Amino acid sequence: MSRIPQKLTMAVIIGNRGFFPSYLVAEAREQAIALFDRLGINTIMLNETQTELGGVETRQDAKICADLFRAHRDEIHGVVVLLPNFGDEKAVAETLRLSGLNVPVLVQAEEDNLDKMGLATRRDSFCGKISLCNNLRQYGIPFTLTTQHVCALSGEVFARDLKRFEQICRVVSSMRGVRVGAIGARPAGFNTVRYSEKLLERLGIAVETLDLSEVFTRIKTLRDDDIRVDEKRRLLLDNADASAIPADKLVTMAKLFVVISEWVTANDIDTTAIQCWTSLQENLGINVCSIMSVMSGQLMPSACEVDVMGALSMYALASANMNPASIADWNNNFGDDRNKCVLFHCGNFASASLESPHMGTADIIGTTVGKENTCGAVHGRLKAGALTYFRLSTDDLSGDIKAYVGEGQSVDDPLETVGCRAVIQVPKLENLLAWICRNGFEHHVAMNHAASAEVLHEAFTRYLGVETYLHQ
């Protein structure tokens, strides 16, 4: 079961400054409760008895609020700071410092109305936000801004910003402490998917390994009529039309699925990278593609060719918008259109992203291992629609983790070929491909149906410390 958090919890700080109208704090608190409830986000905030109107203005207020947040630190995914008036920038910054929270922070400031600029009604949040952000930078606390410098707490602009911030928090929370399962050895011919476990440890990412010999041994202990085997067989049948696949091949696939699933559960694995050729074909006579497709559909993405960084890229995409992600090769030009290209892999895409998915053989690999030994590849065309692509990579030469991200469209232009494929359109694609080549990125890219490039860029650049190129 995927550990990507679905329902998030936000700590809320409402700033106040005494010589501005304090009733605005109570008003903001009431509006915030209604908004967060409408968006399905849990909140942790001061009530009216803990500080004046539940706001934060003094050092003592900061200590009380920080104590509340520390008591719930394991639940909190992000902090939302609301400035209904100028606010006390020092008290808000000290709340964050004292709480010890290491989560994304969103800063909102309420807009003034031109007919309410008298002493009893003016807010000056426009100015207060600049002061708060200055203090946060001094304290070394990264933060996210709203689309507009000031916006109404009860308006749709802030509601959209909050949903976007929720995605950022989900990515950051999911990526910290993620555990990758590397199953099998990297194919000898694929130096491109080399990676550094030591660099990943800087992000708290762990890699657990499993040798294929152990997989084969465990498969031998499973009976054909084992209830676990039947359960996995049914998942494979539900994932894609398997009418062309022999029954014995489906049983073998189901046994492999059982072994992988039980190892994943026992080791708290979030995403996997599998040696998909040629050992499985030579020893079991099947492809693992359909199993990977099912797992990706369950938001536990699985990457080909032991591409650990590809698996992490898929996991990041899936966590951003709770949509299944897939991995493919930047594979072919699309005629003379230099802003279009073909993405392709043998057959591992999440079936929900495909038109009429069906299970077959992997004919390209089949030229060397025999087509009959490649049952399990998924065939289908990626559905048209918005597309986000993303790639993480470890660079041992610089000692850094780096990434790129961008958006495009999956289009329905005619394409006659096999496997999982897509025609995608990306603005200034030639520039992107040149950048990928010059910066030593892999030929694999993760993608899903979404428009979340800015979310991933913000999450990785601002909060995870990964330099990320945003292609536009």
Side-chain angles (χ1 to χ4, degrees):
M1 184 176 184
S2 176
R3 292 191 292 159
I4 297 172
Q6 296 192 24
K7 192 176 181 69
L8 300 192
T9 297
M10 299 293 173
V12 181
I13 302 172
I14 304 177
N16 188 29
R17 182 161 284 193
F19 47 79
F20 288 92
S22 293
Y23 77 88
L24 296 172
V25 174
E27 181 183 272
R29 191 173 185 280
E30 184 178 318
Q31 291 176 343
I33 290 171
L35 174 61
F36 282 86
D37 184 62
R38 175 167 68 86
L39 297 180
I41 302 172
N42 294 326
T43 57
I44 295 171
M45 69 175 82
L46 294 171
N47 62 42
E48 303 92 329
T49 67
Q50 292 170 293
T51 63
E52 184 180 358
L53 301 174
V56 173
E57 181 179 6
T58 67
R59 168 76 176 178
Q60 285 304 116
D61 292 343
K63 289 168 67 177
I64 293 169
C65 191
D67 285 344
L68 174 66
F69 291 171
R70 276 200 304 273
H72 296 274
R73 64 183 304 160
D74 291 340
E75 306 166 41
I76 294 171
H77 299 97
V79 177
V80 180
V81 179
L82 306 176
L83 297 179
N85 59 32
F86 190 105
D88 189 288
E89 69 270 18
K90 187 176 180 182
V92 172
E94 287 188 342
T95 300
L96 291 167
R97 173 182 279 176
L98 292 170
S99 73
L101 293 174
N102 182 24
V103 296
V105 177
L106 176 66
V107 181
Q108 180 267 354
E110 191 73 18
E111 56 191 6
D112 267 308
N113 296 322
L114 291 177
D115 61 348
K116 295 181 179 179
M117 295 295 286
L119 293 180
T121 54
R122 69 182 298 152
R123 298 176 181 272
D124 290 10
S125 309
F126 189 103
C127 186
K129 180 174 181 177
I130 298 172
S131 295
L132 172 58
C133 292
N134 174 279
N135 275 256
L136 293 179
R137 190 170 186 274
Q138 289 185 51
Y139 281 50
I141 299 171
F143 55 90
T144 295
L145 298 173
T146 50
T147 306
Q148 298 174 181
H149 183 65
V150 290
C151 57
L153 176 57
S154 58
E156 283 306 306
V157 170
F158 181 62
R160 288 194 297 271
D161 284 338
L162 191 54
K163 291 299 292 182
R164 173 178 174 270
F165 182 66
E166 186 181 19
Q167 290 181 284
I168 292 169
C169 292
R170 186 177 286 113
V171 172
V172 173
S173 174
S174 298
M175 294 306 297
R176 286 176 175 161
V178 63
R179 292 172 59 78
V180 190
I183 302 175
R186 169 182 57 80
F190 271 58
N191 281 356
T192 185
V193 295
R194 287 173 170 173
Y195 69 97
S196 170
E197 289 189 47
K198 293 181 180 179
L199 289 180
L200 289 178
E201 281 293 344
R202 292 183 184 177
L203 284 182
I205 295 173
V207 180
E208 294 291 328
T209 60
L210 177 65
D211 192 82
L212 283 182
S213 64
E214 297 179 60
V215 173
F216 300 148
T217 298
R218 295 177 194 182
I219 286 175
K220 291 177 182 177
T221 67
L222 291 172
R223 294 167 51 95
D224 289 1
D225 59 357
D226 190 307
I227 190 172
R228 295 169 295 173
V229 174
D230 186 60
E231 176 192 7
K232 298 302 184 186
R233 185 182 66 86
R234 291 178 184 276
L235 284 174
L236 292 168
L237 290 172
D238 289 341
N239 187 61
D241 178 6
S243 57
I245 304 299
D248 62 323
K249 297 287 187 181
L250 278 170
V251 170
T252 303
M253 275 185 265
K255 289 181 178 180
L256 175 59
F257 200 171
V258 169
V259 171
I260 291 174
S261 296
E262 292 186 348
W263 180 78
V264 162
T265 300
N267 290 277
D268 292 330
I269 301 299
D270 299 299
T271 182
T272 53
I274 302 176
Q275 181 189 342
C276 53
W277 56 277
T278 56
S279 181
L280 289 175
Q281 291 78 13
E282 293 169 347
N283 286 279
L284 299 180
I286 58 169
N287 264 39
V288 70
C289 305
S290 287
I291 298 170
M292 299 167 73
S293 173
V294 173
M295 292 193 294
S296 294
Q298 296 171 336
L299 302 186
M300 300 181 68
S302 190
C304 312
E305 292 141 357
V306 202
D307 184 0
V308 166
M309 300 309 295
L312 287 168
S313 304
M314 296 168 72
Y315 192 70
L317 276 168
S319 67
N321 45 61
M322 306 300 286
N323 280 342
S326 300
I327 195 166
D329 293 348
W330 292 106
N331 210 69
N332 310 91
N333 61 289
F334 192 74
D336 295 327
D337 193 327
R338 298 306 170 185
N339 285 322
K340 291 181 182 177
C341 70
V342 177
L343 298 183
F344 171 84
H345 247 188
C346 304
N348 66 315
F349 289 13
S351 63
S353 67
L354 297 173
E355 300 282 359
S356 305
H358 64 279
M359 195 189 301
T361 56
D363 296 342
I364 295 176
I365 297 175
T367 60
T368 58
V369 298
K371 191 170 74 170
E372 70 281 1
N373 294 315
T374 64
C375 291
V378 176
H379 295 257
R381 174 72 180 265
L382 194 71
K383 294 176 182 176
L387 188 86
T388 298
Y389 54 87
F390 180 61
R391 179 72 204 189
L392 282 162
S393 184
T394 57
D395 190 337
D396 288 34
L397 300 179
S398 65
D400 295 317
I401 300 173
K402 58 188 182 181
Y404 67 84
V405 67
E407 293 176 7
Q409 291 284 324
S410 173
V411 296
D412 56 7
D413 294 24
L415 176 67
E416 295 298 325
T417 189
V418 296
C420 286
R421 65 272 189 190
V423 177
I424 69 164
Q425 185 170 12
V426 175
K428 302 177 183 177
L429 177 60
E430 289 285 348
N431 293 347
L432 172 63
L433 295 171
W435 190 92
I436 289 170
C437 291
R438 289 197 182 103
N439 287 276
F441 276 85
E442 299 80 356
H443 66 293
H444 288 167
V445 65
M447 78 285 185
N448 70 351
H449 284 110
S452 53
E454 291 186 357
V455 166
L456 289 161
H457 182 262
E458 180 90 352
F460 277 89
T461 300
R462 195 168 305 283
Y463 297 107
L464 295 171
V466 175
E467 182 180 349
T468 304
Y469 165 64
L470 176 60
H471 182 71
Q472 293 177 307

